[in-house]
């Protein structure tokens, strides 16, 4: 048959286990750190049989068992048996607990549990948590939208925009989370004994944000910069300075080559060309050991087939546009250069055997940087 039973509990206050519930068995119980205690509190300053709790009718009487550091009720040390009521704040050694009484309806006898972990009082309403989670997701969506927009505007910096937006979102999230944290109550000191362990202090907001920027921002920037450099080096698609003074065209027997741009990067010289096949046969213009860029003083750079974007075959009456990468750099002072294709393979006899584009004028890098 169902019956109403008065349940007595200790709720730990402060520290890492704040909110943990300790059930108090019925009848007279002992409180302490020893295995023989009915309610075990294994914390600093708690004696083996620190105190006892005795029910008397509807009253609960707390007695200190000559413990080393004493027993405290609502901030005052007790020396005689003292009645405690629901809501009183007790302290045994370095641990503080709040005494709770509640009436429950039971259907059958349950096993006595001395210590129940992971049962914590709710700290905030569900609605607040949902709103906070929704706000963080909206912030992330806004960051993704800004990333997409900015990478379209500045494709050169697309590698760095994403981590920067992510860093901003992380900092804002950290600030919001900082102000949502409730301060942990400090333990009450008592005379005649060592103070209880101090509560953990949360890091100041400025220090937290600074650490986030250094660790997340700096680490992300280094990783992004390293990956960006590696991808640019292995693909040849590095950012650089445009050096071509003006477009230059050369035509031989119906095949023409126009130099559209020359870019100096950290490791390469990138030449963009347009080749038109005005003959009545398909021509093939490979790059391997067949394409070079030569300066007036005889310095020669050979094309890198792997890092170039160039299709070998050009059908009759069509054209092909591509980028040829040359490992190395042309002179910073500029000058005149020539682009050579040593051999043109044709399915006929009316195409040129080779073609060169002379007088490709390049500007000095210093002059280009001042523009």
């Amino acid at each position: 048959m169902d019956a109403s039973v008065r349940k007595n509990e200790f709720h730990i206050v402060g520290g890492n286990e704040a909110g943990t519930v300790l059930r108090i068995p019925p009848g007279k119980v002992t409180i302490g750190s020893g295995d023989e205690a009915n309610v075990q509190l294994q914390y600093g300053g708690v004696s083996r049989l620190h105190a006892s709790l005795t029910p008397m009718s509807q009253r609960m009487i707390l007695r200190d068992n000559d413990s080393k550091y004493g027993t405290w009720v609502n901030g005052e040390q007790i020396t005689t048996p003292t009645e405690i009521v629901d809501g009183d704040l007790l302290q045994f050694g370095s641990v503080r607990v709040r005494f709770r009484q509640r009436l429950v309806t039971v259907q059958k006898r349950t096993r006595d549990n001395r210590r129940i972990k992971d049962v914590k009082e709710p700290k905030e309403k569900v609605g607040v948590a949902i709103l906070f989670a929704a706000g963080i997701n909206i912030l992330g969506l806004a960051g993704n939208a800004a990333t997409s927009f900015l990478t379209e505007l500045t494709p050169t910096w697309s590698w760095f925009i994403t981590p920067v937006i992510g860093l901003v979102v992380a900092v804002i999230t950290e600030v919001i989370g900082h102000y949502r944290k409730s301060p942990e109550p400090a333990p009450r000191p008592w005379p005649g004994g060592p103070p209880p362990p101090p509560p953990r202090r949360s890091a100041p907001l400025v220090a937290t944000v600074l650490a986030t920027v250094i660790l997340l921002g700096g680490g992300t920037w280094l990783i992004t910069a390293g990956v960006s450099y590696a991808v640019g080096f292995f693909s040849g698609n590095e950012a650089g300075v445009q050096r071509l003074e003006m477009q230059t065209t050369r035509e031989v027997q119906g095949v023409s080559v126009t130099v559209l741009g020359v870019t100096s990067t950290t490791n390469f010289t990138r030449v963009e060309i347009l080749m038109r096949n005005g003959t009545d046969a398909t021509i093939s213009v490979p790059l391997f050991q067949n394409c070079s860029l030569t300066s007036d003083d005889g310095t020669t750079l050979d094309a890198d087939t792997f890092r170039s974007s160039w299709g070998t075959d050009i059908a009759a009456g069509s054209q092909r546009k591509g980028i040829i990468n040359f490992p190395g750099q042309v002179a910073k002072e500029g000058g005149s250069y020539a682009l050579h294709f040593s051999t043109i393979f044709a399915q006929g006899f009316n195409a040129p055997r080779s073609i060169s584009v002379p007088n490709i004028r390049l500007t000095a890098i210093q002059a280009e940087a001042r523009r």
Side-chain angles (χ1 to χ4, degrees):
M1 188 176 197
D2 294 353
S4 294
V5 179
R6 187 181 299 274
K7 294 291 186 180
N8 301 317
E9 298 173 341
F10 285 154
H11 291 214
I12 294 180
V13 177
N16 295 335
E17 297 188 352
T20 301
V21 177
L22 306 178
R23 290 181 182 172
I24 302 173
K28 181 178 180 180
V29 298
T30 54
I31 304 165
S33 59
D35 293 338
E36 62 271 32
N38 302 112
V39 179
Q40 295 181 5
L41 296 174
Q42 296 178 347
Y43 296 88
V46 180
S47 302
R48 293 181 60 82
L49 297 175
H50 194 103
S52 60
L53 190 61
T54 306
M56 297 182 61
S57 184
Q58 299 297 321
R59 305 166 63 197
M60 297 297 291
I61 305 301
L62 179 66
R63 179 193 301 270
D64 181 71
N65 295 335
D66 296 325
S67 63
K68 184 176 181 180
Y69 296 116
T71 301
W72 303 70
V73 177
N74 296 325
E76 296 183 2
Q77 186 175 10
I78 64 172
T79 56
T80 59
T82 302
E83 180 182 0
I84 60 174
V85 297
D86 180 60
D88 280 348
L89 184 63
L90 316 179
Q91 184 163 331
F92 307 96
S94 63
V95 62
R96 294 188 304 154
V97 300
R98 192 171 297 280
F99 177 67
R100 290 296 187 189
Q101 285 187 323
R102 58 189 179 91
L103 290 176
V104 297
T105 301
V106 296
Q107 295 178 340
K108 60 180 180 179
R109 189 173 181 180
T110 58
R111 183 176 61 183
D112 173 32
N113 294 322
R114 290 185 180 181
R115 188 181 185 89
I116 300 178
K117 295 184 178 181
D118 302 328
V119 179
K120 299 188 178 181
E121 299 176 343
K123 295 185 179 180
E124 64 180 357
K125 296 181 179 179
V126 176
V128 175
I130 293 176
L131 288 176
F132 176 74
I136 295 301
N137 280 278
I138 291 173
L139 191 62
L141 291 174
N144 290 334
T147 300
S148 299
F149 176 74
L150 292 175
T151 50
E152 288 296 327
L153 290 181
T154 56
T156 302
W157 294 96
S158 59
W159 280 94
F160 296 94
I161 290 174
T162 299
V164 168
I165 295 294
L167 174 62
V168 172
V169 172
V171 170
I172 295 176
T173 303
E174 186 66 38
V175 172
I176 294 174
H178 176 87
Y179 284 109
R180 291 179 74 248
K181 296 177 183 176
S182 58
E184 185 178 280
R188 187 187 299 274
W190 70 93
R200 293 182 304 170
R201 296 181 180 179
S202 60
L205 177 60
V206 174
T208 302
V209 172
L210 184 60
T212 302
V213 171
I214 294 175
L215 296 177
L216 181 59
T220 303
W221 185 88
L222 288 176
I223 293 174
T224 303
V227 172
S228 175
Y229 177 84
V231 171
F233 177 78
F234 285 107
S235 68
N237 190 25
E238 296 178 331
V241 179
Q242 180 59 239
R243 305 284 301 280
L244 186 64
E245 226 177 62
M246 60 180 299
Q247 293 184 2
T248 305
T249 302
R250 173 75 184 281
E251 180 178 356
V252 179
Q253 295 181 238
V255 176
S256 66
V257 178
T258 301
V259 177
L260 303 176
V262 177
T263 303
S264 289
T265 72
T266 304
N267 298 290
F268 306 100
T269 298
R270 191 165 58 242
V271 180
E272 183 179 8
I273 69 169
L274 175 66
M275 183 175 289
R276 293 185 176 90
N277 179 11
T279 70
D280 56 4
T282 297
I283 62 173
S284 180
V285 188
L287 298 182
F288 180 69
Q289 294 184 348
N290 191 53
C291 179
S292 60
L293 185 66
T294 305
S295 66
D296 286 345
D297 62 5
T299 302
T300 300
L301 303 177
D302 292 321
D304 187 327
T305 305
F306 175 75
R307 293 182 172 90
S308 299
S309 176
W310 174 252
T312 303
D313 297 331
I314 306 175
S318 64
Q319 62 184 24
R320 182 175 298 281
K321 189 176 182 180
I323 295 177
I324 304 174
N325 256 328
F326 297 87
Q329 295 178 332
V330 294
K332 296 181 179 180
E333 297 77 14
S336 179
Y337 289 79
L339 179 67
H340 305 283
F341 291 95
S342 302
T343 304
I344 295 179
F345 301 92
Q347 298 176 1
F349 301 97
N350 58 343
R353 294 191 175 185
S354 63
I355 190 170
S356 298
V357 183
N359 300 321
I360 302 173
R361 302 293 302 177
L362 303 184
T363 61
I365 290 182
Q366 294 83 353
E368 181 69 22
R370 288 195 295 267
R371 291 183 180 179

